[in-house]
């Protein structure tokens, strides 16, 4: 090969033969990292502005660079940009186009910078923006759940342990359990944002640069909260992406649990809730089917998000300092995680306010499962019976109810008195489902008044964010 064959690469100077065609395709990232174009240009404009302030570029050069980059952004957004695999990645594609447009000045943009600190900056800028979008979606979902909790604050359903009827709870209380999980997810996302929001630029390839750069200027221009302290660390670690994936995995785990409940509750066997038709799909063979595909799919998508977390952890594992090409593999898992989380949150955010509840069915299910048995035991304890004896008495009453196919509240006073003489007519106040939920009247309890108070607290939490 002649020297001429290598000049199509910005780094071709020391090479004597062209890149193998397969290797070129194999090592290129432009197919997926073009997604970073906006933030790559944003970072480049800040870099050029800083270089001008410290006297490395003239104002005229900076203006040419900025105009050229803004044009390129428009070309990309109009779908008129010709991405080239030969130019490997988003960074070199944009730089080559800039030089094509503005000539020799375009080649000065990369002064005092390397693709290593450039790409680390791009991902952080990109992820920061996506974190803000995801945070807003998460808040919208929480808002929808709180609305549902307020609307259904006194709707009674069976609460479960081991998926067996345990004690009656209110539907609103159940919704607020999901809200608490999502609030913690939101907190984790914001914690992660803090560590994402740090500027790598200036680290150059690994050791910093000999130009008189002022990293604080770049930092301020890009809205980062701090300059990365160590150049080797700045270009190499992707722990912030792993941390984001950790957040995403926990969020998806929560959504998968929620999805599982929606799938169960929409089944004919439970029939607790209805999802509007627009969130469901039918079967091509069974005309009666209305399937809860959206929650099922979100439950399933949890797997790929966990997979990406494992990919990123393994990608980073054992990498020596500083930058290694391995890190190019951070993008696809991160991008897919972001897309999956955004899609799942959008579907949930749209679905929640539209969900309706079948109150009579849920109440009947709570009644059928002897869910007020604990209330009867507590009643006996209040009348002086030791808890263990009370447990035994109620167990016998339940056995009688099972044989007779009747709930505790459907027995006569005489029937109940067979098991304990301390039982009085006032027992029926605690055996009703309403009595049972109203009695759990403390912070974190299921009583409707508590659900309303908790919902109000979540609303003020939302307003503070
Ligand atoms: N495409 C590369 C990546 O995603 C950009 C940095 C390449 N740096 C290098 N020295 N080859 O990580």
């Amino acid at each position: 090969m002649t020297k001429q064959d290598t000049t199509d690469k910005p780094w071709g100077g020391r090479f004597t033969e062209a890149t193998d065609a397969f290797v070129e395709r194999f090592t290129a990232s432009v197919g997926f990292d073009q997604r970073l174009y906006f933030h790559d240009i944003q970072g480049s404009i800040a870099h050029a502005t800083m270089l001008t302030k410290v006297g490395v570029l003239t104002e005229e050069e900076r203006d040419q660079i900025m105009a050229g980059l803004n044009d390129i952004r428009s070309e990309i957004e109009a779908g008129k940009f010709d991405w080239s695999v030969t130019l490997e990645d988003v960074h070199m594609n944009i730089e080559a186009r800039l030089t094509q447009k503005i000539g020799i000045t375009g080649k000065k943009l990369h002064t005092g910078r390397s693709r290593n600190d450039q790409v680390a900056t791009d991902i952080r800028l990109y992820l920061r923006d996506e974190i803000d979008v995801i945070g807003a979606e998460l808040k919208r979902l929480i808002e929808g759940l709180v609305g549902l909790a307020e609307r259904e604050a006194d709707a009674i359903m069976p609460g479960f342990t081991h998926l067996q009827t345990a004690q009656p709870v209110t539907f609103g209380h159940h919704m607020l359990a999901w809200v608490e999980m999502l609030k913690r997810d939101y907190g984790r996302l914001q914690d992660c944002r803090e560590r994402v929001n740090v500027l790598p630029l200036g680290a150059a390839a690994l050791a910093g640069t000999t130009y008189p750069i002022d990293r604080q200027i770049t930092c301020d221009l890009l809205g980062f909260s701090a300059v990365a302290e160590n150049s080797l660390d700045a270009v190499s670690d992707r722990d912030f992406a792993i941390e984001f994936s950790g957040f995403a995995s926990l969020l998806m785990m929560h959504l998968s649990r929620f999805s599982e409940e929606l799938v169960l509750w929409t089944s004919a066997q439970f029939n607790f809730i209805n999802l509007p038709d627009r969130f469901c799909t039918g079967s091509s063979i069974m005309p009666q089917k209305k399937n809860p595909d959206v929650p099922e799919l979100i439950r399933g998508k949890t797997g790929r998000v966990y997979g990406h977390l494992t990919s990123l952890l393994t990608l980073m594992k054992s990498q020596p300092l500083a930058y290694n090409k391995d890190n190019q593999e951070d993008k696809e898992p991160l991008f897919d995680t972001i897309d999956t989380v955004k899609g799942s949150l959008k579907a949930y955010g749209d679905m929640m306010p539209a969900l309706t509840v079948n109150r009579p069915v849920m109440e009947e299910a709570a009644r059928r499962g002897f869910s007020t048995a604990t209330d009867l035991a507590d009643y006996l304890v209040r009348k002086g019976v030791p808890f263990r004896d009370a447990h035994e008495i109620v167990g016998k009453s339940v056995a009688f109810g099972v044989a007779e196919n009747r709930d505790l509240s459907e027995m006569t006073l005489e029937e109940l008195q067979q098991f304990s003489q301390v039982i009085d007519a006032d027992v029926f106040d605690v055996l009703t489902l309403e009595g049972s939920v109203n009695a759990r009247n403390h912070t974190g309890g299921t009583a409707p008044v508590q659900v309303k108070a908790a919902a109000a607290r979540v609303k003020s939490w939302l307003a503070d964010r």
Side-chain angles (χ1 to χ4, degrees), residues 401-436:
V402 170
E404 294 271 312
N405 197 20
R406 266 187 293 151
D407 182 53
L408 296 172
S409 63
E410 293 163 338
M411 295 176 194
T412 65
L413 182 58
E414 292 68 36
E415 282 172 334
L416 287 167
Q417 282 172 340
Q418 308 171 67
F419 307 106
S420 169
Q421 280 306 314
V422 308
I423 298 178
D424 246 322
D426 61 352
V427 74
F428 293 104
D429 299 339
V430 306
L431 290 185
T432 63
L433 297 173
E434 289 74 17
S436 173

Side-chain angles (χ1 to χ4, degrees), residues 45 47-68 102 105 108:
I45 288 176
H47 181 64
T49 306
M50 180 277 290
L51 287 180
T52 308
K53 290 212 168 123
V54 300
V56 173
L57 292 180
T58 67
E59 288 186 2
E60 201 198 329
E61 286 169 335
R62 177 202 60 201
D63 292 346
Q64 271 181 285
I65 287 173
M66 273 167 66
I102 67 170
T105 308
K108 295 190 177 178

Side-chain angles (χ1 to χ4, degrees), residues 187-332:
R188 271 185 283 273
L189 180 66
Q190 297 310 321
D191 291 349
C192 168
R193 189 188 194 281
E194 223 175 275
R195 280 175 289 278
V196 168
N197 198 23
V198 174
L199 173 79
L201 215 56
L206 76 164
T209 175
T210 56
Y211 296 94
I213 58 168
D214 183 335
R215 298 181 70 204
Q216 194 55 51
I217 293 177
T218 322
C219 181
D220 293 343
L221 286 169
L222 293 174
F224 281 114
S225 66
V227 170
E229 284 285 343
N230 182 289
S231 63
L232 296 166
D233 171 50
V235 292
S236 62
D237 203 7
R238 296 291 183 266
D239 60 352
F240 63 92
I242 298 174
E243 195 176 340
F244 174 80
S245 296
F247 146 79
S249 295
L250 285 168
L251 171 68
M252 291 303 291
M253 178 275 289
H254 287 148
L255 293 183
S256 80
R257 297 180 66 193
F258 198 179
S259 295
E260 176 75 2
E261 296 200 328
L262 296 185
V263 170
L264 285 171
W265 293 352
T266 51
S267 70
Q269 288 67 28
F270 273 83
N271 191 28
F272 283 5
I273 59 163
N274 313 298
L275 284 179
D277 285 1
R278 64 182 183 280
F279 299 111
C280 300
T281 58
S283 157
S284 54
I285 176 167
M286 296 169 284
Q288 84 285 11
K289 292 296 288 284
K290 174 175 158 184
N291 297 327
D293 289 40
V294 173
E296 288 175 86
L297 200 52
I298 290 170
R299 189 176 61 185
K301 281 180 185 292
T302 305
R304 70 205 277 163
V305 173
Y306 290 2
H308 296 325
L309 173 61
T310 303
S311 297
L312 290 173
L313 280 167
T314 312
L315 165 67
M316 210 61 239
K317 177 185 176 292
S318 314
Q319 271 195 52
L321 289 172
Y323 176 85
N324 301 288
K325 182 77 167 180
D326 309 41
N327 280 349
Q328 181 164 292
E329 284 286 310
D330 64 352
K331 288 168 201 64
E332 288 162 293

Side-chain angles (χ1 to χ4, degrees), residues 29 33 89 91 115-116 119 323 327-328 331:
S29 55
D33 70 11
D89 56 25
H91 323 292
R115 272 185 299 152
N116 297 351
V119 70
Y323 176 85
N327 280 349
Q328 181 164 292
K331 288 168 201 64

Side-chain angles (χ1 to χ4, degrees), residues 157-168:
M157 64 179 281
F160 298 96
T161 61
H162 314 267
L163 203 57
Q164 310 285 322
T165 300
Q167 291 172 351

